[in-house]
Amino acid sequence: MVIVTEDVFANGEVNPFTKSKDTIKRFTLTNGAGMSVQLITRGATITSIKTPDASGQIDDVTLGFDDLAGYQSERNPYFGATIGRVCNRIANGSFYLDGKLVEVSKNRDNKFQLHGGFVGFDKAHWEVVEVSGDGVTLSHTNPDGHEGYPGKVTATASFTLSEDNCLHVQMSAVADKTTPVNLTNHSYFNLAGHKSGANGLYEHTIEINAYGITETDQSSIPTGRITPVEGTGFDLRVSSNLGERLKALQPARGYDDNFCVTFSPPQPLAKVARATHPPSGRWLEVVSNQPGVQFYTSNFMPDVERGDSPIPGKDGAAYAKHGAFCLETQKFPDSVNHSNFPSTILRPGESYQHEVIYKFGVSH
């Protein structure tokens, strides 16, 4: 049986939209199999996923902070957050929509937009719509013109936990004017335990069910070309050791790429990826209805070997480069500027629907 409990994560953060001082609520979803998930209303953010290893040892396998100050910090790389209105990058912060130029905020080096701009969905205080027997549904209303986007968008994110260790995340949105919408969850995983760092990450194996990647320039902006993975360092269709794959990619810092997922119509959902950590036995499978997934190996977390100071995380953790991986299900980055990519345009009367399942298990 799944149990849902609620407590207060923090008091008094100013809501960036309403300017009121709000209570940030936290929900804990626990099943009978030893798995629990915590999330907070700030940014509809997953703050913890605890799951047993093959010997029954429970550890937290997602990165995060103990307190609100951590999430507010400039050093927070979007840990666990729901990202919107448009995740990933928009080249030059501009695009044409029905023949009209739209200019959105450029929050990265004043060159492009990343993850929705200066105040994305990750900084919003989401409202609690429903607490059910196995989860919680949150909602955020994003005003017309926010960060330069046309139209009011009403987004919901529901998080439910099953008895077989599946965390289901369902993101939906409607708009009153035509606008792009592309949401994702930005959880950072390390199946060796959130504190285990690069050494833990290098022990993982990774498999990604993708036929191609969206080719990018040095700022990770797509060129519009889709490069087949066949015969490249991006061919992860067969499970292989992540540490070795990262070594082989050098001088690149690691993976930070949108993989184009292979679907088997008419199935609406595809197996996107599977990560395993053989020493603990833990594995994670990601299933989604989205055409892409950003596979990111935390290349831009602090490089302690070069003298950077780590990000101080929960439970005294010190997070650094290659300390976790992300599998961010999404439509392709910068789709607004590439007519050959799956469209992110949402029109009035339509409904955006994004389903992703994170299934955890152990191999004995």
Side-chain angles (χ1 to χ4, degrees):
M1 198 175 116
V2 175
I3 296 166
V4 181
T5 58
E6 178 186 335
D7 67 344
V8 171
F9 182 73
N11 278 310
E13 187 186 34
V14 175
N15 183 319
F17 294 91
T18 63
K19 306 302 178 209
S20 62
K21 285 194 169 180
D22 293 350
T23 297
I24 305 299
K25 296 173 182 174
R26 174 169 57 189
F27 293 90
T28 304
L29 286 43
T30 310
N31 70 12
M35 181 172 163
S36 66
V37 175
Q38 288 188 311
L39 55 114
I40 57 173
T41 50
R42 184 193 200 267
T45 297
I46 296 170
T47 59
S48 164
I49 298 176
K50 291 180 178 167
T51 178
D53 68 7
S55 63
Q57 177 81 33
I58 290 176
D59 207 344
D60 195 337
V61 296
T62 189
L63 279 55
F65 298 104
D66 285 323
D67 55 22
L68 183 63
Y71 287 102
Q72 291 171 330
S73 158
E74 289 289 302
R75 302 191 73 196
N76 170 19
Y78 301 95
F79 284 155
T82 299
I83 306 291
R85 180 179 299 198
V86 174
C87 65
N88 219 303
R89 289 152 180 82
I90 292 182
N92 305 311
S94 69
F95 54 93
Y96 281 91
L97 184 59
D98 294 339
K100 245 181 74 182
L101 181 68
V102 176
E103 297 197 76
V104 295
S105 59
K106 293 188 273 199
N107 61 317
R108 272 296 181 271
D109 311 325
N110 199 29
K111 285 185 185 152
F112 60 89
Q113 188 183 88
L114 177 71
H115 291 337
F118 293 97
V119 180
F121 286 17
D122 60 296
K123 294 177 185 68
H125 295 180
W126 291 57
E127 288 169 27
V128 181
V129 177
E130 185 191 13
V131 182
S132 65
D134 57 357
V136 61
T137 301
L138 306 176
S139 171
H140 166 57
T141 302
N142 198 243
D144 183 9
H146 185 68
E147 299 290 331
Y149 287 104
K152 178 177 85 170
V153 167
T154 306
T156 60
S158 78
F159 303 83
T160 56
L161 181 62
S162 69
E163 279 301 349
D164 61 350
N165 289 359
C166 288
L167 171 61
H168 289 249
V169 181
Q170 181 87 35
M171 292 170 267
S172 60
V174 292
D176 66 358
K177 288 183 191 166
T178 301
T179 180
V181 171
N182 193 10
L183 308 184
T184 194
N185 180 273
H186 212 314
S187 288
Y188 284 70
F189 300 104
N190 191 321
L191 301 177
H194 75 106
K195 291 185 187 180
S196 69
N199 290 337
L201 185 84
Y202 298 152
E203 295 171 335
H204 286 63
T205 68
I206 184 72
E207 176 191 334
I208 299 179
N209 173 31
Y211 61 88
I213 61 164
T214 43
E215 180 189 80
T216 55
D217 67 13
Q218 279 159 328
S219 302
S220 295
I221 305 283
T223 62
R225 274 192 60 210
I226 292 171
T227 310
V229 297
E230 182 81 49
T232 73
F234 299 93
D235 190 347
L236 301 171
R237 290 174 296 181
V238 175
S239 179
S240 51
N241 174 265
L242 184 51
E244 287 167 21
R245 296 308 289 257
L246 286 168
K247 265 199 206 101
L249 273 190
Q250 289 168 350
R253 297 171 69 105
Y255 290 99
D256 188 9
D257 298 275
N258 173 67
F259 284 72
C260 309
V261 175
T262 306
F263 277 77
S264 306
Q267 294 297 331
L269 299 177
K271 177 180 160 179
V272 174
R274 182 182 171 97
T276 67
H277 181 249
S280 67
R282 285 193 190 92
W283 54 260
L284 163 63
E285 246 179 45
V286 179
V287 170
S288 160
N289 67 347
Q290 296 297 291
V293 62
Q294 190 83 9
F295 178 47
Y296 174 53
T297 48
S298 307
N299 317 324
F300 298 104
M301 288 216 292
D303 191 341
V304 289
E305 288 177 12
R306 291 193 170 179
D308 298 350
S309 62
I311 299 169
K314 57 190 172 187
D315 294 334
Y319 299 139
K321 181 183 171 186
H322 290 173
F325 65 91
C326 303
L327 289 164
E328 305 157 62
T329 52
Q330 60 185 5
K331 286 183 177 163
F332 302 171
D334 197 33
S335 287
V336 285
N337 287 307
H338 301 284
S339 58
N340 58 319
F341 287 3
S343 173
T344 53
I345 304 305
L346 180 67
R347 298 183 183 277
E350 296 174 347
S351 169
Y352 167 88
Q353 295 291 341
H354 179 154
E355 190 175 346
V356 56
I357 300 162
Y358 305 96
K359 181 170 174 64
F360 293 86
V362 289
S363 308
H364 291 280

